Amino acid sequence: MMKLKKLFTLLFFVFSTLIYAQSVSGIINDNQGLPLPGATVVNLNTSEGTTTDFDGNFSIESSLDDILQISFIGFQTYQFQVSGLTDIINIQLEPGNELEEVVVSSFGFEKKTKSLGYSVSQVDGDEMSRVKSSNPLQALRGKIAGVNISNNASGVKGSTRVVIRGSSSFNGSNQPLYVIDGISIQNEQLGTAGEWGGIDGGDGLSTINPDDIKSVSVLKGGAAAALYGSRASNGVILITTKNGSNAEKGLGVELSNQTTFSRINNFFNPQLSYGNGLLGVASTNELDPFNSWGPKLNSGTKLYDNMDTLYDTGFNMSNSVAFTSNTDMGSTRVAFTNLEATDVIDTSQLKRNSLNLTTVQNLSDKLTVNASIKYSETREKGNIVMGTSPASPNETIRNFTPEIDVNDYLGTFGNGTTDGINELLPSSSIYSTNPWFAKYNNPNSVFKDRLLASTSIQYDIKDYLYLKLQAGFDRSTNHFNNTTNFGGNLNFPGISFFPLGDLYEQTQTIKQHDADFFIGTNGINITDDFSFNGFIGTGTFAFESESIGVLGRNTVIPGLLTIQNTANQQALYNYGQKQINSVYANTEFDYQDKIFLTFTARNDWFSTLSAAGKEAPNNDLYGSASLSVILSDLVELPSFISFAKLRGGYSQVAGGAGNPYSLSLTYGLIGQGHLGSPLGAINGDNIPNKTITPFQKDETEIGFDLRMFDNKVSLDFAYYENKTMGDIVNAATSRASGYTATTINLGEMTNKGIEILLRGTVIDKEDLSLDLSLTYANNQSNVVKTDESGSLLQLAVGSLFNSFIGAKEGEPFGVIYGTSFLRDNQGRVIHTLIDGVPIAQRENVSKVLGLGVAPTQLGFGGDLRYKNFSLYVFFEGKFGGSIISDTNSRMKQLGRHAVTVPAGGREAGFTPDGVMDDGSAVPKVVGSGDIQKYWNTAARFDIGEENVYTNDFIRISQLSLNYRLPKEFLQKTFIKSANVALIGNNLGFIFKDVPNIDPESFNRASTNAQGIEGIGMPIGESLGLSINLKL
Amino acid sequence: MKKLNILLLTISFALLSCDYDKGFEEMNVDPTASTSLDVNQKFAYLFLKSASDEYEYTYTEVLCAAQLVQQLMHQTFPQSSIFSLREDLLTASWDVAYVSTIKTVVDIIDQLEKDGNTGTEMGIARIMKAYIFHKIVDAYGDTPYFDAGKGYLDSNFRPVYDDAELIYMDMLRELEEGVAQIGGSSTLGNADIIFGGDTTKWKKFGNSLMLRLAMRIKNVDAASSSAWITKAIAGGVMDSNADTAMMVHTNGPTELNKNAWGIHYVRYPRTRLGKTIYDWLDNRNDPRLNIIADPSNTYGGNPYGFNDNDLSGQGIDVGDLPYTNVNPAISRPDQPRMLLTYAQTAFVLAEHYAASGDHVTAETHYNSAVTSAMNQWVLWDPSFALPSADINAYLAVNSYDSANYNELIGDQFWVASFLDFFEAFANYRRTGFPALQPFGGNPAHPENLTNGTIPRRMIYNPNEANINPENFDAMITSQGPNNRTTRVWWDVN
């Protein structure tokens, strides 16, 4: 028995020493203590290598005293000598210095940050899906200096506008180029609001799912985007989707759910002391629930919060499941996402299903193939009509006096009708729609089906020479249905212009493809100190869109809303096609990995600028040069600076007219003839111009990138100046010319600005860390030239006809122009007595009243981690801009605005600021009647200045409180990791200047008409829960 | 290595020598449009648009002019009876005319010149040009004329505002020369949707328009007025209802084919007959009362100079205005629109002869005009035929009177021009008849901006001051401020 025991013990020892002698095990974590999967562990003595698994574990054959080397991109390589074979080794890697940091740059090439002479900002996919919205770009608000993101006040489906380094084109789109996995995608806004309202159909980017995003790179300046050519003249947003290569080896499953509830931020703050009536007298007209010029309300009167009644709680839920496979041959990710959202007006809904299959495969050691297919299907119903249009529920809801309950207008059928079909009109005006009628009888819908496919194939002929092909397409089919409902009550038709209803059905197919072919070289050593890198390529971009629609007027059978049921029908057809072909080259010289010099050149040929017999060119050659110097490698710097880079560059880019067929005058047939004769006329109101050439935009940029205190603090600074010359614009012409505008190369505009990004790790302990980041950007634009006579260009007219957004020589771009108060030479407002009441007079010449775009933007965020908890808060601020507010104007006209009730009540009156036209003091205005006369003239159509407000604000933009379930907890389950977070979006303001509305309630933000608020959906705040599981 | 170099060189050479814009010129041609068009189709469009543009007719003619002459009232747009400001209504006609009818007629004349056409078609185009422009000049005053509509042809983006006097003289000359060019037949075929190819009627139309314009300038240039009237009569003006120039409309297939008044009638049901015209017809037992007014009720006309709140204050139910509507039987979308009637022509003749002392001829024309004004409603619907006995009885009571001929002719012209509100407005301003009272003799409404007077013109789009500042400012210096009390050249009454 003893002998057996000894044998077993001996065997056990031998066995264990054998085991321990054979491998070393450990866990690799990153600097935040999170496991690092995919890190490479190499035994330098045996040359054996392995990688860490999903939990950061590794096990490698090793003997005592062997040297093991751990490396991972973005971190400093770590080596250690094996000193013991029994313990599990715990290693934490430190973030790498700039030797290793890479960003995704043009054409998907990953470039070391240190070699770039221009500014690129990269945001991780986790940041994009931390607090998700239906448009992934919302997650970037305020986080990238110089990138100004704003969106329409049109609810969940609204469009987003992104402007990088200021607008540089008068009538062009000013939006960047969006590239996803190597192909550009169409991001046109489908439908917009004009000064009379309209519907926002969302934009192309909203069909991309935030959970699928691996990283977003923003190429801000001309040098960054030079390789993408003219479509990138406003920068590039490069999105790379996940392809499974960061997932654990083998198979993986990831589930996530985000559920949020939203409600409006109700800033609407009317006076509640005076009720319905006019001139101080209670109204006897029950068809006027809107005027609040009546007598003082008794303290016992019940008051209703009608905004609260109409707007419910919105709901937004997104579920996604992703399968990943990660092997040595390559990796694949397949993800399916479902999104359902109901807006605060609950008849407005959105459903989206999408599928994303992305893979990267190393077919041989010379051939790598990337491919991706993304399909999404979106169904939107009940899209809200914007602005002051009849059929907008948002317009009249603010107008009801507080003692009137808007529920009274539901009608017996509960949908705002008298008999189930005809509108129950709240007032005698056909322009004021019953909000319930607009809510329940609004069968607008938008269906979007979209397929994106892309592939890139790279073949390494030699290890220094490669061929690469990148191609793909974006195809979408969109179907719109707009209906202005049969609301006709023949004494009071419900919807003003079409009492018998008006239907519009349209199907639009948009296709675009990109194909690029390069041949290039990687890292050829010219001498010991110099190496060279470059490629030459050719590419093509083709776009085609076709839409077929039917407009039907005057429904015959009441309530049957289909085109067949209309008395008058008209067919509509639209077609557009354009193409850009290019050839380009890129060369980079690298001196000792410390100084980098890059040159690019590109020539674009535009079909939109081509016409038979045209002498002016249809193409342009342009280039860029940029330099990056790693100062910290060249000179001795104070020790707290671990890395310093200086960069600078100059670039030129050309741009062509975005619209095809704009070079010739054409005729078309109108309607279906009359009395047997066809009718024909000149198409359109724009004078075509055959001498158009591409415009040119030049940019100079300098900056630096500093990492200090052991990489705990980083400061990135950029200064840029850009100039656009010969901008192709539609300049307004006098209507007496027979046309309303002409296309011409006229404009010249500049932008200058600075961008600062400051990040720091303030606390860095094992269990506790705090990271702060601050972005600051300021852009000063200037309109240098509009045309030969220095005309004022109108970019968009406000819904209050006394205001517009304009471009005037010597002023910043996009100023708010409007009529102003007539003032004396001391600046006092001049009043004239009309009917016994002093009325402020208006000056008939329009003036600059403010900037439509805020020149200064700020973003501030903090990320606090304690053990398994993390708290993230982000604030965003904009300063220096103004807004012209339709809501405030109407409130003053109707007596709802707080300013119409002076401190002692209307009975006590107030003395207006200013002077009478004869120089005497302005008499006091006393009593509801006179106060009504004072405001009712000034507010509405007459004086724009009255309703322009400075628009500074700081918004509490995002919040998330995240808990990561500890590993010990999950070990017994099949769940590998789990995160739960409480998330919130747009939770309020630290301060804001403009009363009664959200400072960003633009209804046309995605066009150049920024700065006009025209009564849209109130912007909401949301709060909810997000769960993410990895199996 | 060498093979590789050759490969690289070949690829680079290939890249650089491709034809990169192959096919671009063809691609950039719109496959759904044409760069030229047959002039006939342009004519048809011109004729139809001159008759009624829904937006322009509704906004400026009906909601402004009709209320100014007190023939209609619309309580939702009281600005035109209180004379407060509502710019978009007043500017609509000017805004629309330049980018539709004026642009088209300039394009047609240019095409005919390039084709070397100096015949009937050119004559018709010149007559239409005068017709379109005279409405604009009468309503607004000095306006771009010689350089109008030439944005594409001459790249003139900001035309000069020409003096109304020069415009009038040129329009008269255009009519004279245009009528002279009209031959025995036209090549317009189906496209002549006004006169169906009858060139004689075109000549009479041209001369009758000449007559109208000539009479218009009587108070500012008596000599020219008289000379042109003589020419018009010598050339031959309309002499019966059969010569009346009108546009026949159909109920579809699109809105463009419909009569704009018919569209307006359904869309704006708060429109009512004005008290002034209702009372005028009622007091004289005029048989046209039951044609113009809705016979199903006898409420009376909508009073003048009040907004909804004022009426409510008087105890009127503004939710269901107790005033008579225009007869639906003359308000259908498939009924015709008059461009220039025989009655209007005959009244001018009557005035001309009366002013020159020949009251016998004047009376003949007066009687003929009244008869035809009564009879013209059969063009709307045959059931409106009036027995000649009734007409004669009416004439016996409302007979011609050489002492009061201005008032008689002025009032009758006004009634005869019901639905042609611009013409009623122009004639009222020139003659002072009918004797309209703003605010029914009561003090002006507190929101009134014209010192209690009836406005004398519409206003230009104030945006012109921003887009065409030099020329706009020059026009204001020459004519007066862009408000409604400034007078147009011939309005000196």
Side-chain angles (χ1 to χ4, degrees):
Chain A
M1 203 51 207
M2 248 322 249
K3 256 193 182 163
L4 210 49
K5 233 178 164 183
K6 274 190 184 161
L7 182 60
F8 271 120
T9 322
L10 184 63
L11 278 170
F12 182 71
F13 268 113
V14 168
F15 185 64
S16 19
T17 3
L18 270 174
I19 291 172
Y20 286 115
Q22 291 202 358
S23 62
V24 164
S25 302
I27 304 180
I28 315 283
N29 289 323
D30 68 14
N31 58 313
Q32 286 169 340
L34 295 170
L36 206 55
T40 308
V41 182
V42 175
N43 183 329
L44 293 180
N45 297 65
T46 66
S47 295
E48 290 230 348
T50 184
T51 52
T52 53
D53 70 6
F54 191 68
D55 290 315
N57 294 317
F58 73 90
S59 182
I60 189 170
E61 259 190 39
S62 173
S63 317
L64 270 180
D65 290 340
D66 278 352
I67 311 263
L68 297 183
Q69 179 179 282
I70 325 271
S71 59
F72 190 73
I73 250 184
F75 291 89
Q76 295 181 36
T77 304
Y78 180 74
Q79 286 183 356
F80 69 100
Q81 196 161 39
V82 177
S83 56
L85 301 171
T86 51
D87 303 320
I88 307 279
I89 301 173
N90 232 304
I91 297 164
Q92 183 153 312
L93 293 184
E94 292 307 309
N97 55 29
E98 297 332 295
L99 277 168
E100 300 307 317
E101 199 179 272
V102 290
V103 284
V104 178
S105 184
S106 300
F107 295 126
F109 288 112
E110 282 191 342
K111 295 243 162 265
K112 291 192 268 193
T113 307
K114 69 180 194 172
S115 69
L116 299 177
Y118 45 80
S119 174
V120 177
S121 296
Q122 184 151 308
V123 171
D124 215 20
D126 291 340
E127 190 69 43
M128 305 294 292
S129 54
R130 196 190 322 229
V131 181
K132 291 184 275 232
S133 356
S134 62
N135 186 318
L137 291 177
Q138 293 301 312
L140 293 176
R141 291 180 67 114
K143 293 189 184 148
I144 304 184
V147 177
N148 182 355
I149 297 178
S150 51
N151 46 294
N152 270 356
S154 50
V156 287
K157 313 157 190 170
S159 317
T160 302
R161 175 179 167 87
V162 177
V163 177
I164 302 177
R165 292 194 173 161
S167 292
S168 46
S169 170
F170 293 97
N171 287 119
S173 86
N174 287 310
Q175 301 248 40
L177 178 69
Y178 291 92
V179 175
I180 296 191
D181 292 337
I183 54 153
S184 63
I185 64 168
Q186 185 268 123
N187 192 37
E188 223 173 75
Q189 193 193 12
L190 308 168
T192 183
E195 53 262 32
W196 287 120
I199 296 181
D200 182 344
D203 57 33
L205 207 61
S206 48
T207 58
I208 306 300
N209 177 23
D211 278 320
D212 292 339
I213 297 179
K214 172 177 171 184
S215 70
V216 177
S217 277
V218 180
L219 310 184
K220 288 188 259 185
L227 284 171
Y228 277 105
S230 54
R231 290 183 296 143
S233 57
N234 298 308
V236 181
I237 295 195
L238 261 182
I239 299 178
T240 310
T241 59
K242 295 176 182 164
N243 62 7
S245 59
N246 276 0
E248 57 166 83
K249 287 280 187 216
L251 290 174
V253 181
E254 183 173 340
L255 300 165
S256 44
N257 167 293
Q258 179 175 291
T259 307
T260 55
F261 295 91
S262 60
R263 46 166 216 185
I264 58 166
N265 268 329
N266 193 358
F267 299 117
F268 184 67
N269 194 19
Q271 58 86 5
L272 297 173
S273 339
Y274 293 83
N276 188 245
L278 284 162
L279 298 174
V281 176
S283 178
T284 51
N285 178 7
E286 62 178 36
L287 277 172
D288 180 15
F290 301 141
N291 279 297
S292 292
W293 297 110
K296 203 159 178 167
L297 290 167
N298 294 325
S299 54
T301 316
K302 187 160 176 16
L303 299 178
Y304 298 90
D305 183 350
N306 289 313
M307 296 277 278
D308 200 44
T309 309
L310 179 69
Y311 297 108
D312 300 313
T313 303
F315 173 76
N316 187 311
M317 177 155 82
S318 123
N319 281 307
S320 74
V321 55
F323 297 93
T324 55
S325 150
N326 191 358
T327 68
D328 292 330
M329 281 287 292
S331 61
T332 304
R333 178 174 182 272
V334 180
F336 172 75
T337 307
N338 167 269
L339 168 68
E340 292 199 12
T342 302
D343 211 337
V344 289
I345 290 195
D346 62 24
T347 48
S348 170
Q349 297 166 359
L350 176 143
K351 282 200 206 330
R352 178 180 303 144
N353 288 319
S354 53
L355 176 70
N356 180 340
L357 166 64
T358 305
T359 182
V360 55
Q361 299 291 326
N362 302 316
L363 295 181
S364 77
D365 56 0
K366 286 184 193 255
L367 185 64
T368 308
V369 175
N370 278 284
S372 176
I373 293 186
K374 301 168 185 63
Y375 176 71
S376 78
E377 196 179 76
T378 309
R379 299 287 178 262
E380 296 176 20
K381 287 201 303 199
N383 296 41
I384 302 292
V385 175
M386 302 286 298
T388 60
S389 167
S392 168
N394 300 313
E395 193 211 344
T396 46
I397 191 65
R398 290 172 179 77
N399 299 347
F400 288 92
T401 61
E403 75 274 28
I404 292 179
D405 182 5
V406 72
N407 278 318
D408 290 346
Y409 295 92
L410 274 169
T412 46
F413 287 79
N415 63 355
T417 60
T418 51
D419 56 1
I421 295 175
N422 293 299
E423 182 184 355
L424 172 62
L425 260 184
S427 82
S428 56
S429 167
I430 53 177
Y431 297 106
S432 298
T433 307
N434 180 333
W436 300 115
F437 183 82
K439 172 177 170 177
Y440 290 111
N441 297 280
N442 181 21
N444 295 309
S445 63
V446 183
F447 292 172
K448 303 180 208 173
D449 287 340
R450 190 179 200 177
L451 180 66
L452 292 173
S454 59
T455 181
S456 97
I457 301 173
Q458 181 161 334
Y459 179 68
D460 297 329
I461 306 175
K462 302 268 178 188
D463 56 3
Y464 57 85
L465 189 64
Y466 64 87
L467 292 177
K468 181 163 169 169
L469 170 70
Q470 205 163 297
F473 65 81
D474 175 5
R475 260 186 98 108
S476 45
T477 303
N478 302 313
H479 186 92
F480 300 89
N481 169 303
N482 281 4
T483 302
T484 308
N485 205 344
F486 181 106
N489 160 340
L490 282 179
N491 272 321
F492 289 110
I495 306 294
S496 70
F497 295 110
F498 307 114
L500 296 175
D502 172 354
L503 284 97
Y504 177 64
E505 296 262 357
Q506 179 198 46
T507 299
Q508 176 190 49
T509 314
I510 304 177
K511 301 182 241 191
Q512 62 179 55
H513 349 112
D514 279 311
D516 286 276
F517 175 73
F518 326 72
I519 176 167
T521 165
N522 257 330
I524 296 186
N525 289 327
I526 310 175
T527 71
D528 277 343
D529 291 331
F530 277 96
S531 74
F532 168 81
N533 190 323
F535 60 81
I536 180 167
T538 174
T540 178
F541 162 71
F543 173 92
E544 188 181 9
S545 99
E546 185 179 36
S547 74
I548 302 179
V550 184
L551 174 64
R553 290 226 170 126
N554 302 320
T555 52
V556 178
I557 304 170
L560 179 61
L561 294 173
T562 167
I563 284 277
Q564 315 288 71
N565 182 32
T566 52
N568 307 111
Q569 288 161 19
Q570 197 178 338
L572 304 160
Y573 179 80
N574 214 301
Y575 180 81
Q577 184 186 21
K578 62 182 180 182
Q579 189 165 330
I580 299 178
N581 288 338
S582 331
V583 69
Y584 43 84
N586 177 68
T587 58
E588 283 172 31
F589 298 95
D590 167 348
Y591 172 74
Q592 291 186 357
D593 215 32
K594 295 174 187 164
I595 299 183
F596 303 85
L597 182 61
T598 306
F599 295 102
T600 68
R602 181 168 169 131
N603 200 11
D604 282 335
W605 282 263
F606 303 92
S607 75
T608 54
L609 298 177
S610 307
K614 181 181 186 222
E615 284 159 13
N618 68 351
N619 69 86
D620 202 7
L621 174 67
Y622 49 90
S624 77
S626 56
L627 177 68
S628 165
V629 175
I630 311 301
L631 206 58
S632 45
D633 284 346
L634 290 168
V635 299
E636 194 65 41
L637 291 172
S639 61
F640 66 88
I641 299 179
S642 45
F643 175 82
K645 170 176 118 173
L646 292 178
R647 54 173 201 253
Y650 170 75
S651 67
Q652 291 177 326
V653 72
N659 295 321
Y661 317 141
S662 51
L663 266 46
S664 317
L665 190 73
T666 56
Y667 294 89
L669 293 181
I670 311 277
Q672 294 169 41
H674 189 71
L675 299 179
S677 171
L679 307 168
I682 293 174
N683 276 335
D685 288 333
N686 200 63
I687 306 172
N689 180 350
K690 219 176 205 168
T691 61
I692 292 286
T693 57
F695 71 70
Q696 187 168 341
K697 178 174 169 183
D698 290 354
E699 185 168 85
T700 309
E701 176 182 345
I702 54 173
F704 63 79
D705 185 352
L706 280 180
R707 309 291 164 113
M708 300 173 277
F709 303 109
D710 234 8
N711 282 345
K712 288 215 202 323
V713 178
S714 74
L715 174 64
D716 189 294
F717 173 85
Y719 171 75
Y720 62 87
E721 280 186 20
N722 67 46
K723 179 154 86 161
T724 308
M725 289 159 289
D727 189 13
I728 300 171
V729 292
N730 284 343
T733 55
S734 165
R735 293 181 86 107
S737 70
Y739 303 83
T740 54
T742 182
T743 311
I744 195 167
N745 281 107
L746 56 73
E748 201 177 303
M749 182 152 58
T750 63
N751 283 287
K752 280 191 238 216
I754 59 175
E755 293 160 0
I756 297 177
L757 170 59
L758 176 63
R759 267 207 275 248
T761 304
V762 173
I763 303 174
D764 187 21
K765 304 204 160 61
E766 197 182 319
D767 275 346
L768 181 66
S769 71
L770 176 61
D771 289 300
L772 299 175
S773 76
L774 175 73
T775 62
Y776 172 84
N778 178 290
N779 182 63
Q780 304 288 337
S781 65
N782 185 35
V783 174
V784 175
K785 201 160 85 119
T786 53
D787 64 12
E788 323 77 48
S789 21
S791 334
L792 171 63
L793 291 186
Q794 278 192 341
L795 302 170
V797 179
S799 53
L800 305 178
F801 288 95
N802 51 42
S803 64
F804 60 92
I805 302 291
K808 184 173 172 65
E809 291 183 4
E811 301 282 350
F813 178 77
V815 283
I816 299 176
Y817 252 86
T819 47
S820 56
F821 289 110
L822 184 63
R823 293 174 189 269
D824 66 4
N825 46 20
Q826 289 174 45
R828 300 176 297 184
V829 176
I830 297 177
H831 291 71
T832 297
L833 217 55
I834 295 183
D835 198 22
V837 180
I839 303 290
Q841 293 303 292
R842 101 175 163 176
E843 172 141 23
N844 278 329
V845 177
S846 290
K847 287 196 174 131
V848 176
L849 300 175
L851 299 180
V853 181
T856 301
Q857 279 153 45
L858 204 62
F860 179 71
D863 209 334
L864 174 70
R865 284 169 209 261
Y866 175 65
K867 299 202 177 158
N868 285 317
F869 286 93
S870 70
L871 174 67
Y872 172 76
V873 187
F874 190 79
F875 301 91
E876 187 195 357
K878 294 189 183 176
F879 304 89
S882 296
I883 188 169
I884 186 156
S885 168
D886 199 356
T887 298
N888 278 288
S889 164
R890 276 160 204 271
M891 288 173 79
K892 289 170 192 167
Q893 187 207 356
L894 294 173
R896 309 227 57 212
H897 202 286
V899 79
T900 63
V901 179
R906 288 178 180 162
E907 301 75 23
F910 75 106
T911 308
D913 260 335
V915 72
M916 294 306 294
D917 45 11
D918 59 3
S920 60
V922 183
K924 210 166 183 194
V925 180
V926 177
S928 289
D930 283 2
I931 294 184
Q932 174 186 338
K933 290 179 188 172
Y934 182 84
W935 288 106
N936 216 334
T937 329
R940 205 171 182 297
F941 286 104
D942 290 9
I943 306 176
E945 187 182 348
E946 171 65 53
N947 296 302
V948 172
Y949 293 85
T950 57
N951 202 19
D952 295 348
F953 65 88
I954 295 184
R955 184 196 295 273
I956 304 170
S957 196
Q958 289 174 349
L959 173 84
S960 102
L961 176 61
N962 190 75
Y963 176 65
R964 186 187 168 79
L965 266 63
K967 267 200 301 287
E968 304 84 59
F969 226 69
L970 298 169
Q971 255 161 7
K972 305 160 215 155
T973 65
F974 55 86
I975 302 175
K976 297 226 166 82
S977 89
N979 270 319
V980 174
L982 177 69
I983 52 177
N985 208 347
N986 192 22
L987 299 171
F989 288 88
I990 306 241
F991 80 91
K992 69 177 175 76
D993 281 349
V994 63
N996 293 307
I997 55 173
D998 182 300
E1000 294 188 284
S1001 326
F1002 308 124
N1003 68 343
R1004 275 173 281 161
S1006 51
T1007 67
N1008 289 339
Q1010 295 223 68
I1012 300 180
E1013 177 256 330
I1015 302 191
M1017 287 283 277
I1019 294 177
E1021 58 180 11
S1022 64
L1023 207 56
L1025 214 58
S1026 166
I1027 301 176
N1028 180 291
L1029 297 175
K1030 293 195 170 99
L1031 307 178
Chain B
M1 197 58 202
K2 198 167 171 204
K3 269 196 196 157
L4 203 50
N5 283 340
I6 293 176
L7 174 67
L8 287 175
L9 273 168
T10 319
I11 293 181
S12 309
F13 189 69
L15 283 178
L16 293 169
S17 60
C18 277
D19 184 5
Y20 282 98
D21 58 358
K22 185 167 172 177
F24 276 7
E25 284 174 9
E26 295 76 30
M27 189 188 284
N28 204 28
V29 170
D30 189 343
T32 64
S34 164
T35 49
S36 70
L37 191 67
D38 190 302
V39 75
N40 283 3
Q41 274 118 45
K42 297 182 190 179
F43 264 113
Y45 175 75
L46 176 71
F47 294 144
L48 184 59
K49 268 301 203 185
S50 308
S52 51
D53 175 280
E54 179 195 322
Y55 171 73
E56 163 275 317
Y57 181 74
T58 292
Y59 268 36
T60 314
E61 263 201 86
V62 176
L63 296 177
C64 297
Q67 296 199 77
L68 289 176
V69 296
Q70 301 183 13
Q71 290 187 339
L72 295 180
M73 281 298 303
H74 191 122
Q75 288 299 135
T76 306
F77 299 94
Q79 296 85 356
S80 292
S81 67
I82 293 172
F83 316 130
S84 53
L85 198 57
R86 180 70 204 254
E87 286 160 346
D88 56 335
L89 302 179
L90 295 162
T91 66
S93 277
W94 193 94
D95 286 345
V96 171
Y98 277 98
V99 296
S100 61
T101 46
I102 292 177
K103 168 166 119 189
T104 306
V105 78
V106 167
D107 184 42
I108 289 176
I109 291 177
D110 179 72
Q111 184 173 351
L112 291 173
E113 273 170 5
K114 291 192 169 113
D115 288 346
N117 183 327
T118 53
T120 306
E121 296 72 36
M122 179 60 97
I124 292 177
R126 293 167 87 173
I127 292 174
M128 288 307 297
K129 176 176 155 195
Y131 181 76
I132 294 162
F133 267 108
H134 93 275
K135 291 193 167 197
I136 299 293
V137 180
D138 287 344
Y140 294 89
D142 295 354
T143 195
Y145 172 80
F146 293 103
D147 291 332
K150 301 220 171 129
Y152 180 70
L153 295 168
D154 288 352
S155 296
N156 186 336
F157 306 148
R158 294 177 195 85
V160 160
Y161 279 69
D162 298 304
D163 281 346
E165 177 174 0
L166 295 176
I167 298 176
Y168 252 85
M169 292 308 143
D170 193 76
M171 288 194 292
L172 288 161
R173 256 191 306 275
E174 287 286 294
L175 286 168
E176 181 178 29
E177 291 174 19
V179 168
Q181 286 177 310
I182 295 186
S185 64
S186 96
T187 57
L188 290 177
N190 269 350
D192 184 356
I193 51 183
I194 298 182
F195 289 126
D198 186 334
T199 52
T200 313
K201 289 192 182 170
W202 274 109
K203 288 191 192 180
K204 289 184 186 176
F205 175 53
N207 287 324
S208 304
L209 181 58
M210 187 192 293
L211 183 72
R212 171 190 281 187
L213 298 184
M215 181 58 85
R216 195 90 88 213
I217 65 177
K218 187 169 92 166
N219 298 335
V220 277
D221 189 348
S224 300
S225 167
S226 171
W228 284 103
I229 291 179
T230 311
K231 274 194 203 178
I233 296 177
V237 298
M238 295 180 184
D239 53 40
S240 74
N241 252 344
D243 294 333
T244 289
M246 67 180 186
M247 174 61 64
V248 170
H249 284 283
T250 53
N251 189 10
T254 65
E255 299 299 285
L256 186 59
N257 306 98
K258 300 182 184 177
N259 183 319
W261 169 245
I263 297 176
H264 177 102
Y265 190 77
V266 173
R267 186 182 292 169
Y268 294 94
R270 292 189 87 213
T271 309
R272 294 286 186 274
L273 265 183
K275 184 172 199 305
T276 311
I277 195 172
Y278 188 97
D279 289 349
W280 193 98
L281 293 168
D282 199 26
N283 292 343
R284 291 163 182 73
N285 284 323
D286 194 313
R288 286 172 291 188
L289 181 61
N290 284 326
I291 297 178
I292 290 178
D294 185 345
S296 71
N297 65 68
T298 50
Y299 291 137
N302 191 323
Y304 191 68
F306 300 110
N307 61 28
D308 271 351
N309 297 317
D310 302 326
L311 289 179
S312 280
Q314 294 166 24
I316 308 278
D317 176 6
V318 292
D320 188 7
L321 292 166
Y323 303 118
T324 305
N325 209 341
V326 175
N327 195 342
I330 60 166
S331 310
R332 296 199 311 261
D334 60 354
Q335 287 176 320
R337 164 103 155 106
M338 301 298 126
L339 301 171
L340 200 158
T341 65
Y342 165 65
Q344 289 169 327
T345 309
F347 280 121
V348 173
L349 288 172
E351 183 183 341
H352 165 67
Y353 286 111
S356 54
D358 179 358
H359 293 284
V360 173
T361 316
E363 180 164 9
T364 315
H365 283 296
Y366 171 83
N367 289 341
S368 186
V370 173
T371 307
S372 132
M374 299 247 179
N375 279 330
Q376 79 183 14
W377 297 100
V378 304
L379 295 170
W380 273 256
D381 191 305
S383 69
F384 290 133
L386 288 168
S388 38
D390 290 4
I391 298 180
N392 291 333
Y394 178 86
L395 277 171
V397 177
N398 299 287
S399 60
Y400 180 81
D401 176 0
S402 59
N404 282 342
Y405 70 85
N406 271 322
E407 180 175 359
L408 287 170
I409 294 175
D411 282 10
Q412 290 288 345
F413 187 99
W414 176 71
V415 177
S417 299
F418 185 72
L419 294 182
D420 187 357
F421 305 113
F422 269 155
E423 187 55 25
F425 181 48
N427 205 57
Y428 158 72
R429 285 178 285 157
R430 179 183 69 82
T431 62
F433 291 106
L436 301 174
Q437 278 186 315
F439 307 108
N442 298 319
H445 193 279
E447 288 176 30
N448 172 266
L449 296 174
T450 60
N451 272 328
T453 61
I454 295 187
R456 309 302 290 193
R457 66 183 277 271
M458 307 299 169
I459 64 170
Y460 298 110
N461 194 327
N463 216 11
E464 273 292 288
N466 294 322
I467 297 184
N468 191 1
E470 269 175 37
N471 294 322
F472 191 77
D473 289 344
M475 177 273 296
I476 289 188
T477 308
S478 159
Q479 177 172 264
N482 183 27
N483 61 32
R484 288 190 287 169
T485 49
T486 297
R487 289 182 173 232
V488 310
W489 166 63
W490 50 257
D491 183 12
V492 295
N493 192 4

